Amino acid sequence: MTTRTRSVSIDDLDSSMTIQAYLGFGKLYTPTTDQSCAWLIHNFRGCKALVEREGKQGTIGIEKLRPGDSLVQIFELPKELSKLSKVTDRLVSELKSRGFKQFLIQEEVKTLPSAAQEQAKAVAAANKLFEKVAEASPVREEAKMAVENMLDNARGGKMDTSDVLRYVNHICDSGTSEALSAMVSLKQSDQTYAHCVDVAAIFQQAYTELLNISSRKSVFKDPKELMLGAFMHDFGKSKVPKDVLDSTVRFERDSKEMNLLQSHPVFGAELLGHMGLPDYIVNMAHYHHVKMDPGMKSCYPPVTYDKVMFETKLLALVDIYQALVGKRSYKKSWTPPETVRYLGTLAGVEYEDEMYGYFVQVMGKYPKSSLVKLSDGQVGFVMNVPRDKTKLDRPQVAIAQNAAGETLEHNDLVDLTVIQDLAIIGELDAQDVFGQHALDVFCKLNVA
Ligand SMILES: [Fe+2]
Ligand SMILES: [Fe+2]
């Protein structure tokens, strides 16, 4: 925010302005009469005036004004006269009735950051994320173990969320959820435990962004409760035997194992309900696999879609997204952009188009940390989700490899909304390109 000074007429005055000087006056003051002179001396006490007297101009204290002087300017209004400097509707109508015409005002103007400032901000944000991701790695491992312990304890009949809650607090307090969310496409996931951590981080990022871009109000008390709810969405898996849960084999439809697995939402809702967690958190556990058509095999439990809360619907998309992007032992993972596109093919079938619209807007067509190839052959990581819906395919990209396939030590941050002659021509799997070092490569990036 900065200020500027300019001359405006009485009709252009508004409450964002402060009058610095009075410049244009009506007939009553050019020249002044006995009455107008007395009024000015009384009301503008302490000000200076530029006046014309006997054909000459000069500055006087307003107390020295004489009838017959013509006012040219009143300036240096003392602080005590704020009722004559701070523009209000009342002041404007008073000045109008007295014939005042022109003013020198000061106003606050919002300055748009220059392109250079924008770029500097983006560079700082990107470098901060690389650092945070490096720091978040051990947190993710520990949180994953906390989830595993929580499920193991629940198997033994001990319902205890304190360990997981400790990580929820830590993640929220340290602002680590963005980093955890960015790690999803960089690090191998396992079936249940890291899935819960990743889903919680992505859900928090996505839901928070959704609140920013819409008029929705959060149903959660605070960000910690939001994250805890997402962490607990698969808590019902504690009632599924470990060998079924950790199996690398894909179970047949209607097999005993598949039925057990598909009961986890109901199990979860029962457990969380008994633990006294709020209804919206229970809803997330209960209905995160519910589809628009309850007759679909992938809809469990087979209930109607109107039971599913908005938050649960978003969680359901995040849940599928993480499951496809996170690595599974029995299939190759999907890249984030192809997963977003795939989810688009299910819109209107498994969930509402509107819900998918929200999802793409907050995750982007190229989610943060996706590895993409540019039209000039360079390869880089996506660093942001453009707010402009029409530019979702033009994010900022931190270049990691040049066109010759060499990993770079000095990285550029390319803003595709600015560099119009470059475009994303495809996406890559970070682990195909960098192997097990994908996460390290990301953390070592340093853009300038
Ligand atoms: Fe689930
Ligand atoms: Fe899940």
Side-chain angles (χ1 to χ4, degrees):
M1 198 78 88
T2 180
T3 56
R4 72 171 164 186
T5 305
R6 65 189 172 109
S7 166
V8 297
S9 74
I10 183 87
D11 293 325
D12 293 326
L13 282 178
D14 73 50
S15 59
S16 68
M17 302 170 179
T18 308
I19 297 174
Q20 303 284 296
Y22 285 63
L23 303 180
F25 306 90
K27 280 183 195 154
L28 276 177
Y29 313 95
T30 51
T32 51
T33 61
D34 287 352
Q35 228 177 3
S36 67
C37 181
W39 184 84
L40 285 167
I41 291 171
H42 179 71
N43 286 285
F44 284 87
R45 196 174 298 278
C47 299
K48 292 226 161 91
L50 180 65
V51 296
E52 203 174 286
R53 185 180 290 170
E54 296 161 3
K56 284 186 190 163
Q57 280 196 359
T59 299
I60 56 168
I62 199 117
E63 298 79 12
K64 303 242 165 84
L65 193 70
R66 285 193 226 142
D69 289 344
S70 280
L71 263 184
V72 180
Q73 210 181 104
I74 300 176
F75 58 102
E76 288 192 10
L77 280 75
K79 269 191 193 145
E80 309 85 78
L81 281 192
S82 63
K83 65 175 188 321
L84 289 173
S85 55
K86 186 79 203 98
V87 179
T88 60
D89 290 348
R90 196 170 162 189
L91 177 63
V92 172
S93 83
E94 165 95 24
L95 295 176
K96 247 184 198 167
S97 72
R98 295 202 170 262
F100 287 74
K101 295 184 179 337
Q102 197 70 25
F103 309 85
L104 186 71
I105 59 93
Q106 194 174 62
E107 64 189 340
E108 288 191 330
V109 281
K110 282 182 190 148
T111 43
L112 286 175
S114 67
Q117 280 173 313
E118 284 282 0
Q119 176 73 3
K121 253 167 74 182
V123 162
N127 284 331
K128 193 169 164 207
L129 183 62
F130 304 140
E131 249 174 59
K132 281 259 176 204
V133 167
E135 289 166 11
S137 250
V139 178
R140 182 175 180 271
E141 284 311 300
E142 289 168 25
K144 186 182 109 177
M145 280 167 63
V147 172
E148 188 170 3
N149 287 339
M150 175 177 72
L151 295 198
D152 280 347
N153 286 337
R155 275 190 191 98
K158 192 176 156 214
M159 302 302 158
D160 182 10
T161 55
S162 56
D163 214 16
V164 161
L165 200 53
R166 196 151 58 84
Y167 283 100
V168 166
N169 288 335
H170 177 70
I171 291 165
C172 289
D173 293 342
S174 60
T176 308
S177 100
E178 185 193 9
L180 289 174
S181 163
M183 281 169 71
V184 173
S185 55
L186 304 166
K187 193 150 171 71
Q188 192 164 345
S189 192
D190 57 29
Q191 289 207 34
T192 300
Y193 317 116
H195 166 75
C196 290
V197 182
D198 292 349
V199 165
I202 303 171
F203 180 71
Q204 187 179 54
Q205 292 291 304
Y207 188 64
T208 307
E209 180 62 12
L210 201 152
L211 296 182
N212 285 338
I213 59 166
S214 69
S215 53
R216 268 187 178 276
K217 296 264 174 296
S218 177
V219 297
F220 302 97
K221 273 208 311 269
D222 54 41
K224 291 176 182 176
E225 191 188 60
L226 185 172
M227 181 165 262
L228 180 70
F231 248 106
M232 304 294 282
H233 79 280
D234 272 338
F235 190 55
K237 286 188 177 173
S238 62
K239 282 207 162 187
V240 178
K242 251 190 148 181
D243 56 330
V244 175
L245 207 55
D246 294 340
S247 171
T248 54
V249 184
R250 206 187 250 284
F251 299 116
E252 294 296 317
R253 272 181 189 175
D254 297 326
S255 62
K256 188 178 136 221
E257 292 84 356
M258 189 52 112
N259 287 338
L260 262 174
L261 264 178
Q262 294 194 341
S263 299
H264 77 266
V266 174
F267 294 154
E270 281 169 9
L271 293 169
L272 299 186
H274 281 137
M275 289 163 79
L277 284 161
D279 289 349
Y280 37 90
I281 290 185
V282 175
N283 192 284
M284 284 160 66
H286 204 171
Y287 299 132
H288 67 274
H289 289 292
V290 171
K291 307 293 183 319
M292 277 167 76
D293 175 2
M296 292 179 85
K297 287 267 183 205
S298 58
C299 174
Y300 48 91
V303 296
T304 53
Y305 204 52
D306 57 356
K307 289 198 164 29
V308 189
M309 281 177 54
F310 179 88
E311 287 68 20
T312 307
K313 292 174 182 173
L314 179 68
L315 176 76
L317 275 155
V318 170
D319 188 50
I320 307 173
Y321 173 83
Q322 195 286 338
L324 294 174
V325 174
K327 273 221 176 195
R328 288 288 191 271
S329 36
Y330 51 80
K331 69 161 185 59
K332 193 179 170 330
S333 63
W334 296 32
T335 66
E338 69 183 325
T339 308
V340 171
R341 286 197 299 276
Y342 169 70
L343 291 175
T345 66
L346 305 179
V349 182
E350 295 204 353
Y351 32 79
E352 297 139 312
D353 288 322
E354 187 199 11
M355 211 56 230
Y356 177 71
Y358 278 130
F359 182 80
V360 180
Q361 213 185 330
V362 294
M363 296 295 290
K365 286 184 179 168
Y366 297 94
K368 222 183 254 191
S369 78
S370 306
L371 191 65
V372 293
K373 187 164 195 162
L374 300 184
S375 46
D376 64 355
Q378 298 187 98
V379 167
F381 291 96
V382 171
M383 296 311 301
N384 75 324
V385 176
R387 274 276 170 94
D388 183 344
K389 260 187 187 176
T390 62
K391 292 184 177 150
L392 287 175
D393 55 352
R394 302 201 65 81
Q396 293 159 359
V397 179
I399 305 298
Q401 265 189 357
N402 62 18
E406 294 160 342
T407 300
L408 300 168
E409 280 186 21
H410 302 287
N411 314 101
D412 285 331
L413 185 66
V414 173
D415 187 340
L416 294 179
T417 59
V418 176
I419 306 196
Q420 299 288 340
D421 53 352
L422 275 183
I424 294 175
I425 56 164
E427 62 266 354
L428 301 158
D429 184 317
Q431 300 198 14
D432 283 352
V433 178
F434 301 111
Q436 293 305 307
H437 306 296
L439 184 67
D440 287 346
V441 171
F442 186 82
C443 295
K444 281 186 187 140
L445 289 173
N446 194 311
V447 292

